[in-house]
Amino acid sequence: MELSRRQVLRGAAVGATLAVTANTVAEAEVAAVVGEYDVVVVGAGAAGMTAGLTAARRGLSTVVIEKAATFGGSAARSGAGIWIPNNEVILRAGVPDTPQKAATYLAAVVGPSIPAARQQAFLNNGPAMLSFVMANSPLRFRFMQGYSDYYPELPGGLPNGRSIEPDQLDGNILGAELAKLNPPYLATPAGMVVFSADYKWLALSAVNVRGAAVAAECLARGTAAALRGEKPLTMGQSLAAGLRAGLMSANVPVLLNTPLQDLVIENGRVTGVRVPAGVIKARRGVIIGSGGFEHNAAMRNQYQQQPIGTQWTVGARSNTGDGIQAGQRAGAALDLMDDAWWGPAIPLPGEPYFCLAERTLPGGMIVDTGGERFVNEAAPYSDVVHVMYERNPTDQCIPGWLIVDQNYRNRYLFKDVVPTFPLPNDWYSSGAVHRAATIDGLASAIGVPQATLRATVSRFNSQALSGTDSDFARGASAYDHYYTDPAIFPNSCLAPLWLPPFYAFKIVPGDLGTKGGMRTDARARVLRSNGTVIPGLYAAGNASAAVMGRSYAGAGSTIGPAMTFGYIAANDI
Ligand SMILES: Cc1cc2nc3c(=O)[nH]c(=O)nc-3n(C[C@H](O)[C@H](O)[C@H](O)COP(=O)(O)OP(=O)(O)OC[C@H]3O[C@@H](n4cnc5c(N)ncnc54)[C@H](O)[C@@H]3O)c2cc1C
C-alpha cells in the first residue's frame, strides 16, 4: 500500500525533534522530525526514481521527495532516448557492441578529464540497471535503429547506434496518479502514438514513402490504443510513468510539493533533509537527484558564459539547482558548471523550440550576424552551441540565423507546421522568424550584410550541387545523415537554396538542462574538493557533474547515466 504524504509526515512526527547542528545552517535550530527512512531520495526524475526503486527493492525503507506538484521532472518532458552500451535490448536487436568497444568509444568521446573509474562504473552498471528496471517496473524498451552514436568515426563508435527508448505504456496503470505526471515538452499529434525514432520520418512524411508509412503507423497505433481504452504514453511520459509505477508497487511514497531546503549534517555525516514541514531523517543516506540549475538565473549568470539566461532552456521549471546548492553548503566540490546539454533553439513565443531535424535537413544553413556560415549545421547539437559560444565574442553568432527556402518549406515538417502551410503569425511578430522574397531582402530584415549573405548562399549552393562541404564537412560523418532527406543526392545533408520566398529563423543557445554539479566518485558518493567523501551523501543525474564531461556520446547520454548512477548510489547504500 502506498502512503500518502500526510500519512508519512504525520505518522513519523511522534513528538521527535532534531537539533540541526549542521554547518549547513547559520545557527543551530530545533526542527520537528516528520519522517524517518533508510534512504531519502531528492527529486522524482530519471535519477531519483531509479534510485528510489533500487533502494526499495534492495530492502531499504525509502521515500522520494519532489519539489514540484508533478513527478517526472525533465525526464517526463523528454524524448527519453537512453544511451547504455551493451544492454540486453540492443544485444537482442543484434547491435554489434562489446564492453571493449564501448570503453574505447566512451574514453575517446569524454577524454581524460573524466576518471576512468567513473566511465567504467557507468559502462559496467548500465546494463544491469536496465535489466533491473525492466524486472521491477512495467517499462520495456526498443532499439532506436539507425540513430548513430554522435561520433561514429571514433574507435568503438557505432553508426547504427546504441540508443534505446521506452516502449508504449498504458497510463491507466497509474490510476489517479497519472494526473500528476509532468506534461511532455511537445504534445504528440492528436490520435497518434509516436516514438522518438519516428520523428526523423515524420519530418519527411510528405516526400518519402517510409515517412508516409511511419505517419500511418503512428495513427494506427493511436487508433488501436483508443479502441482498447488505453491512455498511450511514449518517450519521457512512458519513462516517468513506468518508473512511478515501479515505485508504487515497491511501496515507495513520492511526496509532491516537498522541496529539499537543506541537508542535515550530524557529526560530519549527512543524516537527513530539511523540508518545509521539518526534517526527514535518512538512516543510511541521502541521494540527490534534483536535476540541474537551468532555471536559476543567478547561477547561470555566475557560472556560465554570456549571453545566458533561463529563457532558452527547455528543462523542467522546477530545476533551479537547489540540490547542488545544498550539496555545496555541505562541502561538495562542483564541476562542469559552465556547461550544459546544449542545442540550438528557436526562441518561439511561449517556449523555445529545441530544433533537431529542422536544423540539419538539406536546404538550410546557419549564418552569423556577419552573414557567414560558421559551423557544420548537422553536427551534434551540443557541439554547435559550443562553437557559438567560442565564436560569439569575436564574430557575433548569438543569435545566429537558420536560412531556408520555400523548397525546404514545401518538403519538410517544421515543428508542427506541415509542409507548404504558413508559419504562425506570432512566430513573425515575435521576431523569431523573418521572410523575404529575395536573399537581399532577408539580409535586411535580419540585419546582416546583403553582399555577404548573397555570397554565402551562392557558395553553399555550389557546394550542395557538388555534394562536398569543403568549409565545414557537413555530411562527412554518418551522424550528420540521421536527420536528412535520403532523396537528396549526391549528399543527403546538402541542398541549394533557390526557391523564394526565403526564411530566417533566429537561433540561440538552448539546452535540455545543465550538466554541471556535484563532483562524485565511481560509487556516486559526493566528494569535497580535496577528494574526500561526504559521508551519507550521493548525487546522480544533472545534480552531479556529468560522466560525459563536455561531450555527448549518443542519443540518451543524459538519461542513461542519470538512471545508472541513481542505481549505483542506491546499491552502494
Ligand atoms: C524536451 C527535452 C527532451 C530531452 N530529451 C532527452 C533524450 O531524449 N535523452 C536524454 O538522455 N535526455 C533528454 N533530455 C534531458 C533529460 O531529460 C535530463 O537531462 C534528465 O531528465 C536529467 O535527469 P535528472 O533526474 O537529473 O533530472 P530530472 O529528470 O529533471 O528530475 C529532477 C527532479 O528533481 C526535482 N527537484 C528540483 N529541485 C528539487 C528540490 N529542491 N527538492 C525536491 N525535488 C527537486 C525536479 O522538480 C524534478 O522533478 C531532454 C530534456 C528535455 C527537456
Side-chain angles (χ1 to χ4, degrees):
M1 189 192 72
E2 201 193 348
L3 300 172
S4 72
R5 174 169 184 263
R6 187 174 297 162
Q7 281 172 315
V8 172
L9 297 181
R10 198 180 45 209
V14 211
T17 57
L18 178 71
V20 184
T21 53
N23 52 6
T24 58
V25 280
E27 291 173 18
E29 59 182 73
V30 175
V33 175
V34 294
E36 181 161 351
Y37 296 85
D38 290 329
V39 178
V40 175
V41 177
V42 181
M49 288 202 283
T50 309
L53 182 62
T54 311
R57 289 297 179 195
R58 300 293 186 226
L60 300 173
S61 72
T62 305
V63 67
V64 178
I65 63 165
E66 167 55 53
K67 171 184 180 179
T70 54
F71 67 89
S74 286
R77 291 167 64 73
S78 79
I82 298 176
W83 194 84
I84 294 177
N86 291 296
N87 71 70
E88 61 171 281
V89 177
I90 61 171
L91 295 181
R92 259 201 313 274
V95 174
D97 204 0
T98 65
Q100 186 54 46
K101 272 188 205 169
T104 307
Y105 177 66
L106 188 63
V109 168
V110 305
S113 64
I114 303 299
R118 277 189 78 207
Q119 297 180 37
Q120 211 50 56
F122 166 57
L123 296 173
N124 288 346
N125 287 277
M129 179 281 294
L130 201 82
S131 301
F132 169 87
V133 164
M134 286 194 279
N136 290 284
S137 80
L139 279 167
R140 297 294 174 268
F141 298 89
R142 39 199 287 151
F143 176 44
M144 298 173 84
Q145 170 85 31
Y147 204 155
S148 169
D149 280 343
Y150 287 2
Y151 307 93
E153 288 77 25
L154 287 179
L158 297 183
N160 209 27
R162 297 174 155 104
S163 303
I164 56 169
E165 64 172 311
D167 218 330
Q168 183 177 335
L169 205 64
D170 179 10
N172 286 319
I173 57 168
L174 285 184
E177 197 65 14
L178 181 62
K180 295 174 189 154
L181 172 59
N182 201 21
Y185 165 58
L186 292 178
T188 305
M192 285 189 165
V193 171
V194 182
F195 294 105
S196 267
D198 294 333
Y199 276 103
K200 160 192 168 69
W201 295 108
L202 292 180
L204 302 174
S205 52
V207 290
N208 181 288
V209 176
R210 178 148 178 212
V214 167
E217 201 181 325
C218 292
L219 202 54
R221 280 189 217 122
T223 309
L227 290 173
R228 293 193 297 265
E230 291 180 1
K231 294 177 178 151
L233 306 174
T234 55
M235 300 186 270
Q237 295 285 285
S238 171
L239 179 67
L243 288 172
R244 183 71 186 90
L247 291 176
M248 282 168 94
S249 44
N251 289 323
V252 177
V254 176
L255 311 183
L256 301 177
N257 301 304
T258 306
L260 165 82
Q261 293 176 315
D262 219 334
L263 294 166
V264 177
I265 304 177
E266 295 171 278
N267 303 320
R269 180 182 179 83
V270 173
T271 57
V273 297
R274 201 171 55 173
V275 298
V279 162
I280 304 178
K281 294 201 74 179
R283 285 183 290 261
R284 306 283 290 272
V286 171
I287 303 173
I288 299 192
S290 54
F293 60 93
E294 52 266 25
H295 280 285
N296 183 323
M299 286 178 82
R300 295 206 84 142
N301 282 327
Q302 178 183 353
Y303 292 109
Q304 303 195 316
Q305 201 174 324
Q306 295 295 330
I308 195 68
T310 57
Q311 71 278 21
W312 296 332
T313 182
V314 296
R317 289 205 172 274
S318 45
N319 288 344
T320 52
D322 308 354
I324 297 172
Q325 290 179 315
Q328 196 180 19
R329 287 192 292 273
L334 307 184
D335 282 331
L336 295 173
M337 294 294 281
D338 57 329
D339 219 325
W341 304 106
W342 303 114
I346 303 171
L348 294 180
E351 195 161 33
Y353 179 58
F354 193 93
C355 82
L356 290 172
E358 295 84 351
R359 168 177 52 91
T360 71
L361 282 162
M365 62 171 195
I366 299 180
V367 299
D368 61 17
T369 52
E372 299 198 24
R373 282 181 76 214
F374 58 93
V375 70
N376 168 11
E377 295 85 349
Y381 31 92
S382 212
D383 290 350
V384 175
V385 173
H386 281 145
V387 172
M388 289 175 83
Y389 273 116
E390 272 158 32
R391 182 181 174 92
N392 193 54
T394 49
D395 298 282
Q396 197 194 347
C397 55
I398 301 177
W401 295 95
L402 170 65
I403 312 286
V404 307
D405 72 343
Q406 187 62 42
N407 182 44
Y408 167 108
R409 289 255 28 252
N410 289 345
R411 295 177 68 81
Y412 312 125
L413 187 74
F414 201 107
K415 189 173 180 272
D416 48 4
V417 182
V418 296
T420 74
F421 272 56
L423 302 171
N425 284 334
D426 62 352
W427 290 19
Y428 292 108
S429 57
S430 69
V433 186
H434 297 263
R435 180 182 47 187
T438 62
I439 291 292
D440 279 1
L442 196 66
S444 303
I446 61 176
V448 314
Q450 290 182 346
T452 315
L453 188 60
R454 223 183 306 125
T456 303
V457 171
S458 155
R459 180 174 173 81
F460 182 78
N461 286 355
S462 58
Q463 292 181 335
L465 293 173
S466 73
T468 306
D469 171 13
S470 48
D471 296 328
F472 300 101
R474 178 166 166 185
S477 167
Y479 170 77
D480 297 359
H481 294 267
Y482 183 66
Y483 283 117
T484 55
D485 181 347
I488 302 297
F489 290 99
N491 179 338
S492 75
C493 297
L494 297 172
L497 286 69
W498 58 275
L499 183 66
F502 300 95
Y503 301 79
F505 296 82
K506 190 181 275 186
I507 295 291
V508 294
D511 64 68
L512 302 171
T514 52
K515 61 156 59 168
M518 286 173 269
R519 186 184 301 167
T520 52
D521 67 7
R523 292 160 63 182
R525 299 178 301 178
V526 175
L527 301 176
R528 301 186 183 91
S529 55
N530 63 6
T532 57
V533 166
I534 300 177
L537 187 61
Y538 293 78
N542 291 346
S544 61
V547 71
M548 291 290 154
R550 300 193 174 280
S551 200
Y552 212 126
S557 292
T558 97
I559 292 179
M563 294 176 73
T564 302
F565 281 103
Y567 173 78
I568 291 172
N571 279 330
D572 198 71
I573 292 174

